[in-house]
Amino acid sequence: KIERVMVLTASWAAVAAALMQGFSLSFGLIVAIGAQNAFVLGQGLRKEHLGSVVLFCALADAALILAGVFGLAQALAERAFLARLLALAGAVFLAAYGYQVLMRMRAGAALRPSQSATGATRSSVLAQAAAFTFLNPHVYLDTVVLLGTVSVRFTGMDKLAYGTGAATASFVFFFALGYGASLLAPQMQRPNAWRVLDTIIAVVMFALAIGMARAGGWLGA
């Protein structure tokens, strides 16, 4: 009986370790500033369909993570041209969104705190969230390839625990980012605050678009 208890204890310890490794690695990757995070932050500040946005982003990331953990990483790695097309589509979308943000920045009246919500429909906002998620090759690199590759060392319950931990990190991060943005609301009462935020977001979008196009081989190094 003592040996059985020791085996079970070691087994659960391994599962817990795998879960924590998945959570910490996923959280470390997702925290990096990117197009998807900037979009969620903006929606959080505007409080525009926020619940739907953070839930969609968390579920989408979790689905990609679990797909990578359970085999999609290898399949994606074998289709290099698909990655190039994805990079081009993502670069075009990010550049277009960056331009849209610049135009919004110029319309200062639309960015007053009392008019923080743009009036966009839930479906259009979720469509943008989907584009930020699925047209970004870096999302696949982080969620599918990197996390999926690391999962190779695990089997059985340990693999499931690793994937669960990684997926949980997405939920924790996106809900914290979206709803935590409300803490910045008082700062956004200043006249130029929205302009500064949109300028930063636009610069990030253009930089990511260029980097994505280069990574896909569509622009010179």
Side-chain angles (χ1 to χ4, degrees):
K1 291 183 179 180
I2 295 177
E3 291 181 356
R4 184 177 181 182
V5 170
M6 291 178 64
V7 170
L8 288 175
T9 301
S11 177
W12 281 110
V15 168
L19 189 146
M20 289 306 300
Q21 183 173 349
F23 183 93
S24 58
L25 179 57
S26 177
F27 199 87
L29 290 171
I30 203 172
V31 162
I33 295 176
Q36 189 186 41
N37 295 352
F39 175 72
V40 173
L41 177 62
Q43 295 303 119
L45 290 170
R46 292 182 176 82
K47 298 180 180 179
E48 186 177 56
H49 308 300
L50 180 58
S52 298
V53 169
V54 295
L55 182 59
F56 174 86
C57 289
L59 287 172
D61 265 27
L64 289 173
I65 288 170
L66 293 177
V69 169
F70 293 102
L72 186 59
Q74 183 178 354
L76 187 62
E78 294 172 352
R79 291 167 174 78
F81 188 67
L82 177 60
R84 290 195 70 215
L85 288 178
L86 192 65
L88 178 61
V92 171
F93 171 75
L94 291 177
Y97 187 79
Y99 177 78
Q100 177 185 336
V101 171
L102 284 180
M103 295 301 100
R104 186 175 67 198
M105 180 197 69
R106 294 181 61 184
L111 298 175
R112 290 197 301 263
S114 61
Q115 298 176 341
S116 57
T118 61
T121 63
R122 187 185 306 274
S123 59
S124 65
V125 170
L126 288 179
Q128 291 184 65
F132 279 118
T133 301
F134 298 115
L135 291 181
N136 185 356
H138 294 291
V139 170
Y140 294 93
L141 177 62
D142 290 347
T143 60
V144 177
V145 179
L146 275 174
L147 291 172
T149 300
V150 173
S151 72
V152 172
R153 71 182 68 174
F154 300 107
T155 58
M157 285 297 297
D158 292 352
K159 182 183 283 287
L160 179 60
Y162 171 84
T164 301
T168 300
S170 289
F171 281 89
V172 172
F173 176 78
F174 282 116
F175 276 86
L177 177 64
Y179 288 99
S182 61
L183 299 176
L184 298 176
Q187 303 298 322
M188 302 307 293
Q189 304 299 315
R190 292 179 296 179
N192 292 324
W194 280 106
R195 290 181 182 274
V196 172
L197 176 66
D198 276 343
T199 299
I200 294 173
I201 290 177
V203 169
V204 169
M205 296 300 164
F206 287 131
L208 289 173
I210 293 173
M212 199 173 292
R214 285 179 174 173
W218 300 100
L219 291 179

